[in-house]
Amino acid sequence: MGLESHVGGVKPVAVMAFLVGHAPRIGVHRISHTRIGAQRTHARGYAHQRRCSLRMQQQDESESDSGLNASAGPALAYDHIKVEAHWQQYWQQHGTFRTEPMEALDMSKPKYYVLDMFPYPSGAGLHVGHPEGYTATDIMARYKRMQGFNVMHPMGWDAFGLPAEQYAIQTGTHPAVTTKKNIDRFRSQLQALGFSYDWQRELSTTDVSYYKWTQWIFLQLFKRGLAYQDDVPVNWCPALGTVLANEEVIDGKSERGGYPVERRPMRQWVLKITEYADRLLADLDELDWPESIKDMQRNWIGRSEGAEIVFPVASTGEEKSQSTSTSITVFTTRPETIAGVSYLSVAPEYGELEQLVTPDQREAVNAYCEAARNRSDRERNEASNKTGVWTGSYAVNPFTKAQVPIWVADYVLGGYGTGAVMAVPAHDQRDWAFANAFDLPVIRVITGGGDLSEGAYTGYEGELVNWNGAAGLNLDGTGVASAKAQILEHLEANASLGTKKVNYKLRDWLFSRQRYWGEPFPIVFVDGEARAVPEDELPVQLPNMDNFEPAGTGESPLAKATDWLKAPGGGTRETNTMPQWAGSCWYYLRFIDPDNVGAPIAPELEKYWMPVDLYVGGVEHAVLHLLYARFWHKVLYDCGVVSTKEPFQRLVNQGMILGQVEYTAYRMADSNEYVSATDVDTDNLVLKKGGAAVLAESLDPAQVKKINGTQMVLQSDESISVSARAHKMSKSRGNVVNPDDVIQQFGADALRCYLMFMGPLDQVKPWSTQAVQGMARFLSRVWRLAIDTESVPDAEGNEPLHPLLDNAEPTKEQLRVLHQTIKRISEDTEGLRFNTAIAGMMEFMNAVYKWENRPRAVLEPFVLMLSPYAPHVAEELWARLGHTSSLALQPWPVLDEKYLVVDEITIVLQVNGKVRSKLTIAAGAEESMVVESAMDLEQIQKFTQGKTIRKTIYVPNRLLNIVAN
């Protein structure tokens, strides 16, 4: 799986349908002030964005390019195909965005490392959702270069993995051939968007020079005892012919392909990520990441403090007399509830289960365990219906001495804790559900909560009850926290009963794949013992094979490469390959030093460039790539390879781009009459009242219209509401939009700006092709700020500069507008509020179009500020304005606060609540001066003469209302 993402924000957003008269709101816009744009209220900025867009629409209707539709495409004021191709070629030929190598790098300058989660190059290529995050990082890269930073902005390919291998099996095409073709396609699409990547640093995880160092890192793990082999229950996917990590299994099926997955024991390579659990947890606090992502990692690591308590097992005979021949150790975070234990549950994989099962229960237990093996840990943990079977035996509560039955239940996981739990149905909801299903006792031991017949009380408020002097402790009436502390102290003094313990949900990382297209392990087996390949013999290259079909027995296709299997120094090579996650764990380091043949990265470069300053990608990688990469980075930190504890200082998740809004009407199945969508259960296609069947009918946008600001109805009948919904882009829905088509029709700059203008970066937004046309109109208006499109072009096809453009000194007002814009766009760009930054550019243009002249000293800084967002048209305008070199490295315009000071203000004057005039007066004037000056105006005297002034109401710097009668 590649790390590219168009899946992001988890809340729908009201996306402004600028320049599209009928596009609906699809949700309510909300965003946390701790996320993007903490410095400014988003609602205000978003409303301002909408006002700018509507104003631009009204102005465009009088422009020469008005009246266009999306199918015809915009009549851009310039030839975007010619302009964009020219500047992309210029940047490539001049190495404009090349980051200097170490020998030429000025390390006295500040650095900015901005990184995308690199994509898996699939055969389908990009759709318009993918470039959203890439555009955001490119804007930041360009902006920081202009601010004088050394910028690292690379791109590469997460190219090992199952899709290319599956395609190879189906077609006989070698995965390397397919991968190269797909990479070429992705690269051309990204270059067509004008992203300022340093293409000299391009890498692929399939490059031998790259995976040599992936293998080297694995050897460091192996030498430190962090990589080991173990016989473990694994998620085996017969269709894919490989083992999958727990995170790659969803609802019992493979994440890739949706194939059934079964559990089976296999010998696998495992990475001991649990050794780093505490550090992975603690260091989250130092990261500028969304809290939701940090919480997901905290929950996945699942650190819990509690106790391990030993329950002796009673004999399995009918007399149930206590026996010390065996015992069950359980882990609990709630030792204070031990008096409420009414049964024990062990996992189907519990190691000593055989000793617990009585003869008459053996058949039932075996059948149950067999069924449980084919359910993933996630399914078992989250299932609402609890299942289980009694072993026939009992355990003894070490505190109360009561005998409790021992059950097998698949909601208990063999890999977590001890594989056994003490069940307290009164105070744990899962235990309560199980007890309710099997009619087991529910014993309250903590006061508080409601009726236990309705559910467990899981709170921590209350006092202990029903303790009855267990273990010689008198805890009745003791608060929960105090009781827990006393019980833990008692365990410390009585080691035979148990001990304090910290546990984790996090499991060690299954690291083997039984496939061909992956990194070979640098391991050979000599007499059955795993040995590291000497580092000077790296890389261990993949053999060239024609048959990639998995054997279906758990063996990798590499087992058929007989010559390759024989290691030069003796022994047999490991035939499993590493998972796709291996290459993506450290690619951010290799980008810094991609040509180093002696080490994964030079120490001097690592110390300068790390950590990554801004990392942008999808929220779906919260507990896969991001956790794995953090683990590898910490191992490399311990090895002295890196100097930072964490790889990614700031993380931003871009939101999903949905397909275009789809409109649906509903008809009665029996009469074919329309009914309102608000009356229909749209999931089940029945009326909400009565349950009569209805039929769904897709509508063309021309068949609907908006009323009351938000409601979508039939054009032909406003009483019939229709549903308006945007869906995730997918081939099956036929709503995928190819960026190549958008670029051809509207231009890369229009696509870039539209993606940023749709709404806040981290929110879900629907695509609108018509709205891209609106952004093309915006860029046409930018063009006409400087270029006279009404004049006859010269011999080279270039129109002259606009006659209003001159070299005059800007007025105070013009400088005020310019520096307001510099402040606005600088702050919004820095805060990743790209939508409101573009709104600020629109506001600037609205002001300029009202001026009697357009000073170069004002327009040129604006072109510089536009360039990170629309680099092609900005470069062309810069050149037309007489500059001979690229603007990419020109200094960012400098804000001068003195120009923001307003000397004069305009006060609206009212008489009895009606506007009668306006007054221009010095800023900060006292109220008395404002009133006196207003009363001197003839227009005000006309409405107050002969009347008594009852009072004046003054809103400072805005309004004066004179009440007279």
Side-chain angles (χ1 to χ4, degrees):
M1 172 184 293
L3 301 181
E4 90 286 355
S5 172
H6 46 279
V7 180
V10 294
K11 294 180 285 188
V13 58
V15 178
M16 185 209 59
F18 71 103
L19 303 177
V20 183
H22 60 265
R25 296 173 65 92
I26 63 167
V28 179
H29 169 65
R30 293 185 178 92
I31 185 169
S32 167
H33 288 266
T34 62
R35 296 289 301 274
I36 303 170
Q39 300 96 324
R40 179 173 300 176
T41 302
H42 280 271
R44 182 179 64 201
Y46 202 70
H48 175 68
Q49 174 190 353
R50 179 173 175 81
R51 290 196 301 272
C52 289
S53 301
L54 295 175
R55 192 178 301 125
M56 186 173 75
Q57 178 186 15
Q58 295 166 356
Q59 293 172 343
D60 273 343
E61 288 172 352
S62 64
E63 299 274 358
S64 60
D65 60 356
S66 63
L68 297 166
N69 56 54
S71 59
L76 280 164
Y78 61 96
D79 185 344
H80 69 272
I81 294 177
K82 177 182 176 181
V83 167
E84 291 173 0
H86 168 75
W87 286 106
Q88 288 165 17
Q89 184 179 29
Y90 176 93
W91 295 328
Q92 184 175 2
Q93 289 178 346
H94 290 79
T96 304
F97 307 117
R98 183 187 180 196
T99 303
E100 295 289 354
M102 182 163 61
E103 58 272 14
L105 185 65
D106 181 2
M107 293 189 182
S108 66
K109 293 173 61 175
K111 65 91 180 179
Y112 194 77
Y113 188 176
V114 55
L115 183 65
D116 301 294
M117 292 187 183
F118 69 167
Y120 177 81
S122 69
L126 298 173
H127 68 58
V128 292
H130 294 98
E132 181 190 17
Y134 302 155
T135 303
T137 58
D138 193 61
I139 289 171
M140 292 304 296
R142 291 174 175 273
Y143 169 67
K144 290 295 184 178
R145 285 191 198 96
M146 297 175 76
Q147 285 193 317
F149 285 73
N150 287 326
V151 171
M152 177 71 66
H153 187 37
M155 175 51 70
W157 318 104
D158 189 13
F160 273 131
L162 287 172
E165 186 166 348
Q166 291 294 99
Y167 185 78
I169 292 170
Q170 296 165 8
T171 65
T173 307
H174 196 283
V177 175
T178 304
T179 299
K180 182 181 184 305
K181 178 182 177 182
N182 294 345
I183 286 174
D184 291 344
R185 166 83 169 132
F186 264 62
R187 187 192 304 109
S188 67
Q189 288 186 296
L190 293 177
Q191 289 176 339
L193 281 156
F195 296 137
S196 61
Y197 295 125
D198 179 357
W199 287 106
Q200 290 186 318
R201 294 176 182 270
E202 179 184 5
L203 59 82
S204 169
T205 55
T206 61
D207 295 339
V208 175
S209 61
Y210 180 82
Y211 74 69
K212 166 186 176 178
W213 297 107
T214 306
Q215 293 173 339
W216 182 87
I217 296 172
F218 175 83
L219 288 182
Q220 311 317 305
L221 290 157
F222 180 70
K223 293 172 183 178
R224 288 173 171 261
L226 297 171
Y228 63 97
Q229 284 191 300
D230 195 13
D231 292 307
V232 292
V234 298
N235 302 307
W236 172 255
C237 179
L240 296 176
T242 191
V243 166
L244 301 176
N246 287 336
E247 299 89 338
E248 297 172 301
V249 180
I250 300 174
D251 297 329
K253 296 181 179 180
S254 62
E255 182 183 38
R256 175 72 69 179
Y259 301 112
V261 174
E262 62 188 45
R263 299 281 284 180
R264 65 163 64 170
M266 292 181 67
R267 191 157 185 80
Q268 298 289 300
W269 281 101
V270 184
L271 299 189
K272 200 177 291 186
I273 191 173
T274 52
E275 287 285 313
Y276 284 74
D278 280 329
R279 290 165 63 181
L280 289 168
L281 195 60
D283 291 343
L284 283 171
D285 294 337
E286 301 176 13
L287 299 179
D288 182 9
W289 286 19
E291 281 302 316
S292 59
I293 300 298
K294 292 198 282 189
D295 284 343
M296 289 171 73
Q297 290 213 357
R298 291 184 184 110
N299 292 335
W300 193 262
I301 294 168
R303 187 182 191 276
S304 54
E305 297 182 2
E308 282 190 346
I309 301 176
V310 180
F311 282 71
V313 174
S315 69
T316 57
E318 292 185 2
E319 72 282 359
K320 295 177 288 190
S321 60
Q322 182 174 340
S323 168
T324 58
S325 61
T326 185
S327 62
I328 296 174
T329 300
V330 304
F331 173 77
T332 178
T333 59
R334 303 290 305 269
E336 72 278 7
T337 66
I338 193 169
V341 173
S342 59
Y343 66 96
L344 296 190
S345 290
V346 298
E349 306 87 1
Y350 188 70
E352 298 181 359
L353 180 58
E354 283 292 315
Q355 301 176 44
L356 300 174
V357 181
T358 59
D360 58 346
Q361 289 294 103
R362 191 166 303 282
E363 183 177 349
V365 170
N366 289 345
Y368 181 80
C369 292
E370 180 64 28
R373 288 192 186 99
N374 292 326
R375 304 183 72 199
S376 71
D377 287 355
R378 183 177 297 178
E379 283 183 290
R380 289 164 51 179
N381 199 36
E382 296 176 357
S384 57
N385 296 325
K386 302 304 177 189
T387 64
V389 61
W390 182 37
T391 64
S393 59
Y394 293 80
V396 178
N397 187 322
F399 279 67
T400 67
K401 305 306 179 184
Q403 291 191 350
V404 295
I406 304 170
W407 286 69
V408 183
D410 69 356
Y411 77 88
V412 182
L413 304 180
Y416 177 67
T418 64
V421 300
M422 64 177 214
V424 186
H427 304 291
D428 182 279
Q429 191 59 35
R430 291 193 310 168
D431 296 344
W432 182 93
F434 189 94
N436 190 56
F438 293 98
D439 197 25
L440 295 168
V442 178
I443 307 167
R444 180 189 291 276
V445 291
I446 299 176
T447 60
D451 186 351
L452 292 180
S453 65
E454 300 297 324
Y457 170 57
T458 59
Y460 288 82
E461 299 297 324
E463 299 175 346
L464 265 62
V465 294
N466 296 323
W467 185 258
N468 298 325
L473 296 173
N474 184 17
L475 297 179
D476 281 318
T478 305
V480 170
S482 176
K484 180 175 182 177
Q486 291 184 54
I487 291 172
L488 291 175
E489 184 179 345
H490 185 75
L491 289 174
E492 289 291 291
N494 298 271
S496 63
L497 298 179
T499 184
K500 292 181 181 179
K501 183 73 174 180
V502 175
N503 240 330
Y504 301 89
K505 289 182 182 177
L506 182 67
R507 301 294 90 203
D508 280 344
W509 176 11
L510 289 175
F511 200 67
S512 299
R513 297 296 183 269
Q514 293 68 45
R515 299 306 297 245
Y516 168 76
W517 195 234
E519 298 93 338
F521 282 94
I523 295 291
V524 297
F525 293 94
V526 179
D527 298 327
E529 180 184 350
R531 297 182 182 179
V533 170
E535 292 182 9
D536 59 5
E537 293 182 13
L538 297 179
V540 176
Q541 296 192 45
L542 275 174
N544 190 16
M545 299 178 66
D546 297 323
N547 183 358
F548 321 107
E549 193 80 40
T553 61
E555 278 194 308
S556 163
L558 290 178
K560 294 178 285 190
T562 53
D563 292 338
W564 177 85
L565 286 174
K566 300 173 184 177
T572 304
R573 294 194 188 279
E574 168 66 76
T575 59
N576 286 333
T577 53
M578 300 184 201
Q580 187 175 355
W581 305 108
S584 62
C585 275
W586 74 285
Y587 72 107
Y588 57 91
L589 292 172
R590 192 63 177 176
F591 275 139
I592 295 173
D593 198 9
D595 300 320
N596 195 326
V597 297
I601 185 173
E604 308 96 303
L605 288 173
E606 185 278 327
K607 288 178 182 177
Y608 177 73
W609 285 109
M610 287 299 292
V612 174
D613 296 284
L614 175 63
Y615 196 29
V616 176
V619 69
E620 72 274 20
H621 297 295
V623 293
L624 289 171
H625 159 66
L626 288 172
L627 192 63
Y628 295 159
R630 294 181 62 222
F631 165 49
W632 274 39
H633 192 86
K634 291 182 183 302
V635 174
L636 293 175
Y637 177 79
D638 293 345
C639 293
V641 175
V642 298
S643 59
T644 62
K645 293 190 296 183
E646 288 286 337
F648 315 120
Q649 183 57 37
R650 185 182 186 189
L651 173 71
V652 172
N653 301 123
Q654 82 272 16
M656 182 190 296
I657 302 296
L658 303 175
Q660 296 203 108
V661 175
E662 300 173 15
Y663 302 98
T664 307
Y666 299 92
R667 294 178 183 267
M668 296 298 300
D670 54 359
S671 65
N672 211 34
E673 293 182 359
Y674 281 115
V675 291
S676 283
T678 53
D679 298 328
V680 175
D681 176 349
T682 57
D683 291 330
N684 298 304
L685 291 180
V686 294
L687 287 180
K688 293 178 180 177
K689 293 183 178 179
V694 299
L695 302 174
E697 175 185 338
S698 295
L699 301 175
D700 186 271
Q703 295 176 269
V704 302
K705 65 178 179 180
K706 185 189 296 184
I707 63 172
N708 302 326
T710 59
Q711 187 180 7
M712 303 306 298
V713 298
L714 287 175
Q715 278 276 14
S716 57
D717 186 349
E718 292 186 8
S719 68
I720 301 298
S721 65
V722 302
S723 66
R725 183 181 175 188
H727 299 266
K728 180 181 177 180
M729 287 189 183
S730 66
K731 291 181 181 179
S732 61
R733 292 199 68 87
N735 64 351
V736 174
V737 179
N738 189 327
D740 300 353
D741 299 334
V742 180
I743 291 170
Q744 178 70 23
Q745 186 174 0
F746 302 107
D749 284 342
L751 175 56
R752 288 169 60 113
C753 288
Y754 172 62
L755 288 170
M756 296 297 96
F757 193 57
M758 294 172 79
L761 178 61
D762 66 344
Q763 297 295 290
V764 177
K765 302 165 281 277
W767 175 262
S768 170
T769 299
Q770 284 183 290
V772 187
Q773 175 184 324
M775 192 53 66
R777 287 179 173 173
F778 160 66
L779 293 177
S780 291
R781 296 190 74 229
V782 171
W783 181 262
R784 286 191 287 266
L785 284 176
I787 306 299
D788 184 5
T789 57
E790 302 299 321
S791 297
V792 177
D794 60 20
E796 296 180 357
N798 296 328
E799 299 96 338
L801 295 177
H802 200 284
L804 293 182
L805 184 68
D806 60 29
N807 294 316
E809 285 292 322
T811 64
K812 283 186 177 181
E813 173 61 17
Q814 289 171 335
L815 287 171
R816 184 183 67 82
V817 170
L818 170 63
H819 286 270
Q820 281 182 334
T821 305
I822 293 172
K823 178 179 174 64
R824 169 75 177 276
I825 296 177
S826 299
E827 291 178 351
D828 284 353
T829 301
E830 193 75 48
L832 308 188
R833 297 184 297 274
F834 304 124
N835 55 326
T836 55
I838 294 174
M841 297 179 199
M842 295 176 180
E843 194 85 341
F844 173 85
M845 284 203 310
N846 291 335
V848 173
Y849 268 98
K850 298 174 183 176
W851 295 346
E852 295 181 356
N853 74 321
R854 300 171 186 175
R856 279 178 174 268
V858 173
L859 286 195
E860 288 193 355
F862 173 72
V863 172
L864 292 175
M865 289 184 285
L866 174 69
S867 65
Y869 294 80
H872 305 90
V873 67
E875 287 273 24
E876 186 69 15
L877 286 172
W878 190 251
R880 297 286 188 96
L881 289 169
H883 301 279
T884 57
S885 60
S886 169
L887 54 63
L889 300 179
Q890 290 292 315
W892 185 259
V894 177
L895 171 66
D896 191 334
E897 296 277 356
K898 72 180 180 184
Y899 293 115
L900 302 181
V901 178
V902 179
D903 295 329
E904 294 181 331
I905 56 174
T906 299
I907 305 294
V908 175
L909 302 179
Q910 296 178 340
V911 178
N912 295 330
K914 294 184 178 180
V915 176
R916 297 304 184 184
S917 187
K918 293 182 180 180
L919 172 68
T920 299
I921 197 168
E926 296 289 336
E927 179 179 355
S928 58
M929 181 179 294
V930 174
V931 173
E932 182 180 344
S933 299
M935 296 301 298
D936 286 340
L937 296 177
E938 182 179 345
Q939 187 67 10
I940 298 301
Q941 292 173 356
K942 176 180 176 181
F943 292 97
T944 59
Q945 192 169 11
K947 297 180 180 180
T948 302
I949 307 301
R950 298 298 181 185
K951 64 178 178 179
T952 59
I953 303 170
Y954 180 55
V955 180
N957 299 321
R958 293 179 58 189
L959 178 145
L960 174 68
N961 182 25
I962 301 170
V963 180
N965 58 23

